[in-house]
Amino acid sequence: MHILVVEDEVRLAGLIIQYLGESGHTAEARHDGPSGLDAARDPRVDAVIMDVMLPGMNGVEACRILRREANDVPIVLLTARSAVKERVAGLDAGADDYLVKPFAMEELSARLRAVARRRPAFSTRLEVGDLVLDPDEQRAWRAGAELDLSRREFAVLKILMENPGWVVSRTRLLEEAWDGEADLNSNSVDVHISKLRAKIDKPFGRNSITTLRGTGYRLETQI
Ligand code: CA
């Protein structure tokens, strides 16, 4: 995971970053509220560890703003032992969990694992009927069964799933899934569509990709 640490105690932030690095994560630090909020908006951030008492803007407020922006990045707040009100406000503002200072690094690690489990990267997942595709993990499923797709088949299915119910032209598929590397007159698209059908439709008794002669293909939404 790539983790953002927002903590104005520079030494503590450094220790957390070092520990996360040793645990196989990558991490970066910000030391005030506004720049922490900004950094948390980066889609590459998988989880945020955020102190509540921060210069510029407190962690609860930053958390509330992120949730208002429909950002569902997992957030663990760091709070002072006595600050019960703070913890309640943090959870109300949409934080996933909190940790009372001082804490053991192992505990931080366990909280991170727990919030990451609760919130898999659903925001980037595509779902059409019982087809699910996860661009981050490069995995796809139909009716809960994992599909064994080649890189190109995966790319074609992704484009179709981004446009459910709409015709996607062969030209567009060639441009996006082949990065324009294939000959426009080649039958690569047709070949890959039939391979896809053999994997995502046939075993499940479906017929979800419609061919529109001379135009392109459409992924049916009622499937
Ligand atoms: Ca602080």
Side-chain angles (χ1 to χ4, degrees), residues 7-9 51 53-54 101:
E7 167 60 75
D8 57 322
E9 290 167 50
D51 189 24
M53 295 306 289
L54 289 166
K101 287 179 174 181

Side-chain angles (χ1 to χ4, degrees), residues 5-18 28-33 35 49-55 57 77-81 86 99-103 105:
V5 180
V6 189
E7 167 60 75
D8 57 322
E9 290 167 50
V10 177
R11 208 181 79 86
L12 176 59
L15 287 172
I16 296 174
I17 295 243
Q18 188 190 342
E28 58 183 305
R30 294 293 185 280
H31 304 300
D32 64 79
S35 66
I49 297 166
M50 181 138 54
D51 189 24
V52 170
M53 295 306 289
L54 289 166
M57 174 191 295
L77 289 176
L78 306 180
T79 73
R81 182 170 296 283
E86 235 174 56
L99 207 51
V100 176
K101 287 179 174 181
F103 51 85
M105 288 294 170

Side-chain angles (χ1 to χ4, degrees), residues 131 142 147 157 196-202 204 208-209:
L131 272 172
R142 163 144 260 172
L147 303 166
L157 180 60
L196 258 184
R197 283 184 172 130
K199 291 180 179 179
I200 72 166
D201 278 344
K202 215 169 156 221
F204 302 90
S208 48
I209 304 174

Side-chain angles (χ1 to χ4, degrees), residues 100-120:
V100 176
K101 287 179 174 181
F103 51 85
M105 288 294 170
E106 290 76 12
E107 194 182 355
L108 176 65
S109 201
R111 296 292 168 93
L112 274 178
R113 276 198 302 275
V115 297
R117 258 203 308 274
R118 277 207 297 275
R119 297 211 185 187

Side-chain angles (χ1 to χ4, degrees), residues 13-117:
L15 287 172
I16 296 174
I17 295 243
Q18 188 190 342
Y19 177 80
L20 292 172
E22 287 164 2
S23 314
H25 303 292
T26 57
E28 58 183 305
R30 294 293 185 280
H31 304 300
D32 64 79
S35 66
L37 171 64
D38 234 26
R41 290 178 171 131
D42 187 331
R44 285 168 298 184
V45 170
D46 297 309
V48 179
I49 297 166
M50 181 138 54
D51 189 24
V52 170
M53 295 306 289
L54 289 166
M57 174 191 295
N58 80 41
V60 173
E61 183 57 21
C63 186
R64 189 174 294 125
I65 291 170
L66 287 167
R67 297 304 184 234
R68 208 183 291 142
E69 293 171 356
N71 187 321
D72 65 353
V73 65
I75 300 172
V76 177
L77 289 176
L78 306 180
T79 73
R81 182 170 296 283
S82 55
V84 178
K85 263 191 195 158
E86 235 174 56
R87 297 205 287 274
V88 173
L91 295 173
D92 281 346
D96 296 82
D97 208 346
Y98 62 84
L99 207 51
V100 176
K101 287 179 174 181
F103 51 85
M105 288 294 170
E106 290 76 12
E107 194 182 355
L108 176 65
S109 201
R111 296 292 168 93
L112 274 178
R113 276 198 302 275
V115 297
R117 258 203 308 274

